[in-house]
Every structure is written in C-alpha cells, then in structure tokens.
Amino acid sequence: MMMIDTADLTKTYEGRGGCRGVTLQVPEGCIFGLLGPNGAGKSTFVKMLAGLHRPDSGQAVMLGQPLGQPEARRKLGYLPELFRFQEWLTPTEVLRFHGQLGGLRPRDTRSPAFRSRVRDTLELVGLADAADRRVGGFSKGMQQRLGLAAALLLDPELVILDEPASALDPVGRHEIRNLLKRLRANGVTVFLNTHLLEDVEALCDQAAFLYGGELLASGPLRELLGGAGDGGVNWRFKVGGWLPDTLAALGEAAGEPLVSPLRLVETDANGNAVLSARVSDREQAGYLCALFIRSGLTLYESGPESNSLEDWFIRMAASRQGGDLQ
C-alpha cells in the first residue's frame, strides 16, 4: 500500500515559488526523506499533505483517502517546522489539548487510559521528568520533543515531520533517530523533511529531491546513490607502472563492456595512477584487476568507492544549474 501517492501536485504563489507537477509515492512502513536546498518547495509540498495548503492542481491520495479527507487526517501525525505552545501550560496539558484537537471528547482526555497514553508518549520523547513543568521554561530542544510527542499522541499510521531535529543537540538527535527506527519497526510510516543529510543517510529507506519546485529524483536511497538505477557500482583502482598511452591500451583490451568507461582520476611523477570505472558487479571489477596485471601494471588497491548523500545532493543541484557547485 502507498501511504502517499501524488500525481502532478502543484501549488504556487501567484505563479511563483511553491512546487509544480510533483509525482511521487511513499510505501507503507518506510522512512522517506524529502531533500532539496532552501526554497526548493519542500515546505509547500508538506503543507499540502498536512491539509494546510490547497493544491492548485493535481491529485493526491494519503492513507488510502483523497487528500484532505477527515478519515486520513485521523491517522496522521504532523510536526510543523514552526510551532508554538502556550507558555503557561505543562506538557501534560498540551497533550490533553491536542487530544481534543484530534477528536477526543474532554472527558475522554481525563480518563485513566488517556493519562497513561500521555505518560508513555512523554517518556518516549524523553520528557517524562518534565511532565508538570511550564512550557515557558523549556529549551528549544525540549519544545521540539514536545512537538514530536503531540504528533505521536494518537498513535498515527503516518507521521510527517518537518525538520524534527533542527533544535536538538547531537545526543538528542541520536535519541530521535532511534525513536524513528522504533516507529518504523512498529509499522509506522515516517515522512521526513530535513536539511540534515546525515539523518537521511542513517535513517531513510527512500528519498526524493526537489529543486526549484520540481521533482528531480525519487526512489530507494541505495538506487539513488548508485546512480539512476543502472545497477552499477563505482569502483576505484590504484596501480603502478603507468605510462601516457596506458589508458588507451586498456580501453582496447577491456573487450567486456563496462557500465561506464575506465577513467583516469590522477597520476604522479612516479608512474602511480588512480583509475575509476562503473562496473556491473564485483566479478567485472575482478576482471579489470586481472587485465591490469596482464598489462604489466602493479595493482596496489581495489575497492568500491564511497558515495555519500552529500555528494549526490551536490551533483543533483549542479546538474540543475548546468555546472559544478564548489
């Protein structure tokens, strides 16, 4: 089941900004990361999903219901990027209020079962010891945790989090990462809008990249980092005995087609060189290693290249700008 399924979803502000023609799918039970630079249209897209903006055009289904339907909203937890709580309330009172916003009657929020749910939720986000303190004395990180508690209070099937760790220190971010992993293990789908690429790399099963209001890529994170779903692997080789005409000779001798041509990365005055190729699998990398040795080269190192999310993010932005980002 697709928890979110959009087709050409569009929202602009008098024809400018926002996002245009966004088509993506978020499968059930995954952590999905929405990426893009500032002004890419991410918040506009998230607000449409949360029902805060009405699309100009396009279609969307969320939790099996057309976008904005009450039945879908009852199963949705949402943490906005900018939120405020009444300073004179305690976390317990804030969650009781949010329970009523979620459709519970006042007497239901005073029941033993609901009080137990509030305690469990505050413990889940690390605020159990602050349950009866006034929110006005909370740090930004504590308020962020309270916002997350409000999003999780009514046991949602889908959680949309807009920059959930932006105000947290490294320890707090680590705790929230573990919490999101537990949610996924319990079958909750998490849609994460964040600038923290390391969080996406550590958590997300799938991701999408928005730039200038348009969707440039979407899919499983491993495939995105691997490059356009071609199934290849970037492989790097360090060799000795390199000569100016060696690359051409290797290209003629390779015979077996590679996913991308063998590329010279760098050389030095001592005849050492670093080569790179995109191979279909480890066996093809082994074939290249044997070819180097047969050609009289000394093979010093061979292994897959690391491909970080930051590198991919920069490449995607550079491709849109038509050049390299420094």
Side-chain angles (χ1 to χ4, degrees):
M1 174 182 175
M2 292 296 170
M3 299 297 278
I4 298 172
D5 192 347
T6 74
D8 295 323
L9 205 61
T10 297
K11 171 66 178 179
T12 63
Y13 306 96
E14 297 182 353
R16 300 190 300 271
C19 55
R20 298 175 296 280
V22 178
T23 298
L24 63 77
Q25 292 77 41
V26 177
E28 182 179 11
C30 76
I31 301 180
F32 191 101
L34 183 63
L35 299 170
N38 291 332
K42 303 189 302 300
S43 292
T44 296
F45 183 76
V46 166
K47 289 176 180 177
M48 283 192 286
L49 296 181
L52 300 177
H53 281 338
R54 186 185 299 273
D56 296 336
S57 61
Q59 304 293 326
V61 174
M62 189 169 68
L63 292 153
Q65 300 288 332
L67 197 63
Q69 290 296 310
E71 181 61 28
R73 290 184 182 181
R74 276 193 284 270
K75 301 175 183 178
L76 171 67
Y78 173 52
L79 173 63
E81 180 180 8
L82 300 175
F83 56 87
R84 295 290 185 272
F85 297 115
Q86 295 85 349
E87 296 184 353
W88 58 89
L89 295 180
T90 67
T92 299
E93 292 168 337
V94 168
L95 294 188
R96 184 180 300 137
F97 176 60
H98 275 262
Q100 294 179 33
L101 291 177
L104 297 179
R105 295 171 296 182
R107 68 180 182 183
D108 294 332
T109 63
R110 293 191 292 269
S111 69
F114 185 79
R115 289 199 298 267
S116 177
R117 176 64 184 173
V118 167
R119 287 194 300 270
D120 291 345
T121 304
L122 290 175
E123 184 174 358
L124 190 66
V125 299
L127 287 178
D129 293 339
D132 297 316
R133 290 170 51 186
R134 300 299 173 187
V135 174
F138 279 15
S139 67
K140 290 183 180 180
M142 293 175 70
Q143 293 191 38
Q144 195 89 9
R145 291 171 183 270
L146 181 55
L148 186 57
L152 299 177
L153 176 65
L154 298 181
D155 198 21
E157 296 179 15
L158 169 65
V159 180
I160 297 177
L161 306 177
D162 200 347
E163 300 291 350
S166 59
L168 300 177
D169 60 23
V171 173
R173 284 171 52 201
H174 175 74
E175 293 172 351
I176 295 303
R177 283 182 187 178
N178 288 338
L179 169 58
L180 298 183
K181 290 177 182 178
R182 291 201 300 273
L183 291 175
R184 176 177 56 192
N186 291 331
V188 178
T189 304
V190 179
F191 187 91
L192 188 64
N193 177 23
T194 180
H195 288 93
L196 300 175
L197 299 183
E198 60 269 34
D199 285 353
V200 175
E201 204 159 19
L203 288 170
C204 291
D205 308 292
Q206 300 201 26
F209 187 90
L210 279 177
Y211 190 99
E214 298 180 4
L215 183 69
L216 299 190
S218 178
L221 191 60
R222 181 173 296 181
E223 290 186 10
L224 294 176
L225 294 181
D230 60 17
V233 180
N234 293 324
W235 213 271
R236 181 165 289 221
F237 310 88
K238 186 174 182 180
V239 300
W242 189 261
L243 297 173
D245 59 351
T246 302
L247 184 62
L250 288 173
E252 293 178 3
E256 186 175 345
L258 306 175
V259 177
S260 69
L262 191 64
R263 181 172 64 90
L264 178 62
V265 177
E266 61 183 48
T267 61
D268 63 25
N270 298 319
N272 299 311
V274 175
L275 306 171
S276 177
R278 189 163 182 78
V279 298
S280 58
D281 50 34
R282 288 179 174 270
E283 286 72 19
Q284 194 173 63
Y287 166 80
L288 284 177
C289 291
L291 174 63
F292 298 154
I293 294 171
R294 288 199 307 269
S295 301
L297 298 173
T298 302
L299 181 65
Y300 295 125
E301 296 177 10
S302 168
E305 294 182 354
S306 62
N307 194 1
S308 73
L309 185 59
E310 181 178 5
D311 292 338
W312 178 80
F313 186 103
I314 293 172
R315 286 200 306 271
M316 290 297 297
S319 68
R320 182 63 176 178
Q321 291 187 357
D324 294 329
L325 295 180
Q326 299 297 327

